Amino acid sequence: MRPPVLSVGAKVAVAVAVAALCVAGAIGVLVHRTTAAGQLATARSGLDQELLSAAAAHADGRRSDARLDPPDLPGPVARAVRGDVRVTYLQQGGDHPVLWAATRISDRKVLAIRRSYAPDMDSLAALDRTLLATGAAVTVPVSLAGLLLGVRMGRRATAAARTAERIADGDLDARVRPHGQDEIARLAASVNTMADALGARLEAERRVTADIAHELRTPVAGMSAAVGLLPPGRASELVAGSVRKLRGLVEDVLEVARMDSHAATVETEEREVSAMTRRAVAGLDGVRLTVVADAVVATDPRRVERILANLAANALRHGAPPVEVEVDGPVIRVRDHGPGFPADLLAVLHISGPQRFRTGSRTGGTGLGLTIATGQARLLGARLTFRNRPEGGAESELRLPTDNPFTPAP
């Protein structure tokens, strides 16, 4: 199972929240250490002054809070005062911390004074709680601000991605509305520029295709008429066959041009799927038709038959017999027993549909069969998919729309 992928907005929000936590934590640690050091230095200085006053009172014979040679004097303090120095020492063992101050007043006597350091530690703990509450109070709104910023950036990036997907699907009028002058706005402008360039290029290609087809139509018609005047023979048959192929190619190019210019119209009728399939494959040797279940659909029968004829002819030309055509309600499958679609061609068919002047050939070739089939299916609102079967061979599946289906009479 793949782990969930965070969106750009979520990543920005998490990054801002982590940065806010780090800054708040660093400031809290710095304030804690600075306050603790200053607080301890103040306490040491004050206790040292009390020790000096106690030493003076002891010298004058007056009483004070200091004690001579206290039995609970910490070992580090006892060793330090042997060097004839005054010592302040924080003893943290036991139930409560204790601050000591000691000095030697004679060769063998040590005067020491002690104070509880617990109130100072309580004060430091209260400061830590205040810092924690303040850090949380600052981190939460900063994190929310980061979340809002991340969501906004994520939405803008998602809008650009969806527009690019629409353009890839053929909607060349899709555009992104750039906002601001940051990198995402630049990305949106780049997507719009790409769409403009792609649209201009495709429009130029469509015009060239249509112009060439129209220019060829007249001479091809003249050639077709001239073929009828040739004397019978093998040469005239070859010429007639070539002219028929050329005329078919010109008609295919014109059909593509009409679909590209959205000039094609759909004439809807209610027809049986099996009847349309039989007419489509009639006259194609090596095609075996099987009707698993029949259905009546409202569609353009001429375009459906054109799709099926192209798919079956493509399977015969580039696959291996027998070619099986199966009708299963509104779904028609065309299978062959050849090597199947090449991996690179299948990837193109899945992503962007057939390329012009390239057939489903397993060995190469040019043509418009799959391009016309895909365009006709798009006009009908049908779904045309291509795949390789696990047991071998290529399969094309046409799924006709069934918005208003009904069961044919027996």
Side-chain angles (χ1 to χ4, degrees), residues 222-392:
M223 292 172 62
S224 299
V227 167
L229 302 178
L230 295 177
R234 180 60 180 168
S236 61
E237 292 177 359
L238 292 176
V239 173
S242 299
V243 170
R244 282 195 299 271
K245 291 181 180 179
L246 181 59
R247 183 173 56 193
L249 178 59
V250 171
E251 293 300 327
D252 287 346
V253 173
L254 285 173
E255 184 71 21
V256 172
R258 283 192 290 269
M259 289 188 294
D260 286 345
S261 62
H262 305 288
T265 59
V266 177
E267 299 178 359
T268 303
E269 301 178 16
E270 292 179 344
R271 292 291 182 89
E272 292 183 353
V273 178
S274 61
M276 292 186 291
T277 306
R278 286 191 179 93
R279 282 193 297 270
V281 300
L284 296 177
D285 296 332
V287 176
R288 185 170 61 199
L289 175 62
T290 303
V291 179
V292 177
D294 202 358
V296 175
V297 296
T299 187
D300 190 330
R302 182 185 69 83
R303 297 187 184 279
V304 172
E305 293 171 14
R306 181 70 182 278
I307 295 172
L308 297 177
N310 283 0
L311 296 178
N314 189 77
L316 286 171
R317 186 178 303 114
H318 305 295
V323 172
E324 300 174 349
V325 179
E326 179 186 273
V327 177
D328 187 4
V331 180
I332 308 101
R333 301 180 182 90
V334 179
R335 305 171 180 144
D336 64 52
H337 292 76
F341 293 109
D344 58 340
L345 176 59
L346 199 60
V348 172
L349 293 175
H350 285 166
I351 296 174
S352 59
Q355 296 178 347
R356 296 184 182 186
F357 300 103
R358 181 173 184 178
T359 65
S361 173
R362 274 58 110 191
T363 59
T366 59
L368 291 170
L370 295 184
T371 301
I372 293 177
T374 303
Q376 300 282 17
R378 187 179 297 112
L379 284 175
L380 298 176
R383 182 181 179 185
L384 182 58
T385 56
F386 307 91
R387 56 179 169 267
N388 288 329
R389 297 189 297 166
E391 64 272 19

Side-chain angles (χ1 to χ4, degrees), residues 21 127 150 163 208 219 262:
L21 286 174
L127 175 64
T163 302
V208 170
H262 305 288

